[in-house]
Amino acid sequence: MNRRQLFQGIGAAVASCMLPNLAQAQSSNRLGMAKELFQADLRLTPLRGYQGQDVRCDQAWVEGKIPSDLRGDFFRNGPGLFERGGQRYHHWFDGDGMVHAWRFTDQGVSHQARFVRTKKFIAEQQAGEFLVPAFGTAIKPKIPLRSSDTMNTANTNVIKMDGRLYALWEGGSAHALDAQSLATQELVTWSPELAGMPFSAHPKVEADGTMWNFGTMMGKLILYKISKQGKLLQHHVMNAPNSAMVHDFVISQNHLIFMFSPISLNMDAVRSGQSMVDSMEWKAQESTKVLVIEKADFSRTRLMELPAMMLFHFGNAWEENQTIHLDFVKSKDLGNFKEWMPKMMQGLDVKHDVASPTFLQIDLRTKHIKISERTEVVEFPRVDPRVVGQRNRFLFYPLAAPSANNDALNGVMRLDLQTGKTDQFDFGTRMRLEEHVVVPKAGSSRESEVWLVGVGFDVQRQTSFGSVFDGENLSAGPVALAHLPYWTPHCFHGNFYSA
Ligand SMILES: [Fe+2]
């Protein structure tokens, strides 16, 4: 592509898009300092956030060719608003949820994003200031805190079930949205006795559509089994070995598996008004608890221990001959969460502790656990949706490729668990990538015969793009990039639903 084609493409995209007004709000000193740092280092622009405005682009400019069988909606969710009334959130996890729809049709690729109209968002938008405490920012409440849903930001993941979208946040209820307009409908109550209970942002959906999920609260672990039609089939409340922060879990054919890192919540700090994040303490001398629960009978459990380790995300689990095989992305402790993320939120792009693929083999008879690790720097593992809870051969990740600055995610990787080999693509320092999800090719029956679809940020252009790779040849580079004429806040998670 030459420069002329590039500008023609961008010009056409601008003409068909509603560009967001990205002017910054009035600044306090602290906010002003962050603004200066963000202006000095354009790599972190998406963390500046929006001010609550919705955006759309009817025709993204496509570089390369979108595969003819890749049709459907790619929904994503992430924190999109970080500042109000001269105050800036300290933590990435605090921002209000903004749900995105990248739609792949015969007419091209469009993008639309809307803030979830949580009670919090509506009240704060009207007030022009933050009214309730955030996960990582101590804010004195200015309205009554009736339940955790008063603080619900709906900012972590989005799934589609039976035609409806659900914006998820691990501390409270799911929010139902209209899948076409992305308009917010209502808080979801799976059954009357579960109203307002936490429903994690990492449900696991089996190939037949059965969804498993959990929530943690005040020492309790809540389990959910939900049908493909979105009906609660079963739930269970049990004691949790630790409930300070459990972000994800994983399922195998017959089990639900949880890992509880040694994090404790200093209640004196909470009572003195510190944020939840600032009140969390890492207990390096304590163990990580591994809890295995039988799907067929939630009362049948096994509890095991590993050394202290931190994790956010699992890839997959499966079992054979009474042994569960699972993988996750492991980091050392809470350092990234408590120190690096707040620095990024101030506009400081600094090095952080790495997180790498890690594997467990849990012998269900002896309760012995074998652990092995790789050295690549990755996050957001995904597998082919057809093998969730079944034996998988491949894992896909965004990767800090060799050229990365400060171990930022700037590439993609497929790991072949059978051979141990990887297939990687390195975008160089210009691009920063989000999670990439796995979409089976039309008519394929083989794991990994897939498109890998994700989102990234072009530092040089200061715009966001959707990316499509051939899952069996990542190193060839993206088959298509769909460029927007604006940047969007980074998302955490999402899912692709084929047409
Ligand atoms: Fe997550």
Side-chain angles (χ1 to χ4, degrees):
M1 168 201 3
N2 60 38
R3 272 176 70 84
R4 192 164 147 263
Q5 285 168 320
L6 172 75
F7 287 114
Q8 276 175 346
I10 291 174
V14 168
S16 62
C17 299
M18 197 170 79
L19 294 177
N21 174 5
L22 297 171
Q24 292 283 288
Q26 290 294 312
S27 302
S28 66
N29 282 344
R30 185 189 171 98
L31 222 159
M33 213 158 65
K35 186 179 166 187
E36 278 174 29
L37 288 166
F38 277 112
Q39 281 171 348
D41 188 342
L42 297 175
R43 294 175 298 187
L44 295 184
T45 297
L47 292 177
R48 285 167 54 190
Y50 280 16
Q51 293 166 49
Q53 69 274 47
D54 300 332
V55 289
R56 67 179 303 135
C57 175
D58 293 332
Q59 196 75 52
W61 168 62
V62 175
E63 185 181 357
K65 191 171 182 311
I66 300 291
S68 59
D69 69 319
L70 184 68
R71 296 288 181 268
D73 295 325
F74 182 30
F75 296 108
R76 295 190 57 70
N77 191 2
L81 184 151
F82 303 109
E83 296 171 6
R84 285 192 193 277
Q87 187 171 18
R88 183 168 174 80
Y89 281 146
H90 299 175
H91 206 280
W92 187 29
F93 288 19
D94 292 349
D96 294 282
M98 189 177 198
V99 170
H100 302 240
W102 295 78
R103 300 188 199 273
F104 292 71
T105 68
D106 290 345
Q107 282 69 52
V109 180
S110 66
H111 171 262
Q112 174 192 10
R114 295 187 78 172
F115 279 90
V116 183
R117 265 53 175 188
T118 60
K119 282 183 188 157
K120 169 191 181 296
F121 179 87
I122 293 168
E124 292 182 340
Q125 195 78 347
Q126 280 167 0
E129 61 177 337
F130 292 129
L131 300 174
V132 295
F135 188 48
T137 308
I139 294 170
K140 214 169 171 186
K142 299 185 180 77
I143 55 173
L145 301 179
R146 295 190 198 288
S147 76
S148 60
D149 282 331
T150 311
M151 295 168 283
N152 192 331
T153 56
N155 72 2
T156 317
N157 197 355
V158 56
I159 57 162
K160 189 177 173 188
M161 248 190 326
D162 205 29
R164 229 177 177 199
L165 286 190
Y166 295 86
L168 306 177
W169 180 69
E170 70 191 34
S173 307
H175 280 78
L177 314 178
D178 181 275
Q180 270 311 310
S181 66
L182 306 185
T184 305
Q185 295 174 330
E186 60 186 351
L187 278 174
V188 178
T189 302
W190 302 103
S191 74
E193 69 269 35
L194 293 172
M197 296 296 265
F199 187 80
S200 106
H202 281 288
K204 295 290 175 287
V205 181
E206 298 188 62
D208 71 357
T210 305
M211 185 171 85
W212 301 85
N213 202 9
F214 74 97
T216 51
M217 188 170 71
M218 311 286 283
K220 297 290 180 191
L221 176 65
I222 305 147
L223 305 175
Y224 302 84
K225 182 182 182 185
I226 292 171
S227 76
K228 189 181 179 177
Q229 291 76 29
K231 296 277 175 287
L232 183 72
L233 298 174
Q234 213 179 338
H235 75 276
H236 182 70
V237 182
M238 60 193 288
N239 290 328
N242 179 341
S243 65
M245 190 169 63
V246 187
H247 181 70
D248 193 5
F249 80 131
V250 75
I251 61 170
S252 63
Q253 291 93 329
N254 301 311
H255 295 90
L256 314 175
I257 304 111
F258 293 85
M259 287 177 69
F260 300 84
S261 295
I263 300 167
S264 75
L265 203 57
N266 181 334
M267 291 313 291
D268 288 338
V270 174
R271 278 189 285 270
S272 75
Q274 287 195 43
S275 74
M276 295 285 277
V277 171
D278 289 336
S279 305
M280 285 180 186
E281 292 174 354
W282 183 252
K283 303 289 184 185
Q285 302 310 315
E286 295 182 13
S287 63
T288 296
K289 307 277 192 305
V290 180
L291 177 65
V292 177
I293 303 169
E294 292 192 14
K295 279 178 174 173
D297 180 353
F298 293 151
S299 70
R300 291 175 63 90
T301 63
R302 291 174 177 84
L303 188 64
M304 289 144 275
E305 289 183 307
L306 287 172
M309 61 183 74
M310 182 62 198
L311 72 150
F312 281 100
H313 298 121
F314 290 94
N316 195 33
W318 52 277
E319 59 195 79
E320 200 172 77
N321 301 328
Q322 288 291 301
T323 300
I324 294 176
H325 300 250
L326 68 81
D327 73 277
F328 59 97
V329 177
K330 170 178 165 279
S331 54
K332 194 175 66 177
D333 54 26
L334 277 176
N336 283 348
F337 184 66
K338 290 189 65 153
E339 289 146 33
W340 172 63
M341 286 185 191
K343 285 200 176 97
M344 287 209 307
M345 287 300 290
Q346 294 167 31
L348 290 165
D349 188 19
V350 291
K351 239 182 144 43
H352 59 286
D353 291 335
V354 296
S356 296
T358 303
F359 304 86
L360 299 187
Q361 287 181 34
I362 305 170
D363 187 322
L364 291 170
R365 286 160 301 200
T366 63
K367 300 201 331 190
H368 176 77
I369 300 180
K370 190 173 152 196
I371 185 164
S372 57
E373 300 177 38
R374 294 182 64 96
T375 55
E376 293 92 354
V377 179
V378 298
E379 246 304 343
F380 306 118
R382 296 292 295 231
V383 294
D384 188 318
R386 294 170 294 190
V387 298
V388 170
Q390 305 287 328
R391 183 170 188 156
N392 63 299
R393 176 171 170 182
F394 300 102
L395 283 157
F396 293 85
Y397 310 85
L399 161 81
S403 70
N405 283 135
N406 292 336
D407 289 321
L409 302 172
N410 68 333
V412 289
M413 177 174 101
R414 186 186 79 164
L415 171 60
D416 182 340
L417 296 169
Q418 198 167 301
T419 64
K421 289 187 177 152
T422 66
D423 178 23
Q424 302 183 5
F425 181 73
D426 181 346
F427 269 111
T429 54
R430 177 173 167 172
M431 309 297 200
R432 295 219 163 178
L433 296 196
E434 299 178 12
E435 173 193 64
H436 276 53
V437 307
V438 182
V439 185
K441 289 181 181 175
S444 87
S445 55
R446 190 160 40 85
E447 184 194 351
S448 194
E449 197 178 350
V450 295
W451 302 112
L452 188 66
V453 183
V455 171
F457 171 62
D458 183 329
V459 176
Q460 194 174 318
R461 280 192 197 135
Q462 292 286 291
T463 54
S464 299
F465 59 86
S467 54
V468 181
F469 288 83
D470 185 331
E472 294 186 297
N473 194 2
L474 300 185
S475 51
V479 297
L481 296 178
H483 298 274
L484 299 179
Y486 46 79
W487 58 265
T488 62
H490 285 313
C491 290
F492 288 134
H493 300 291
N495 295 284
F496 193 103
Y497 296 92
S498 293

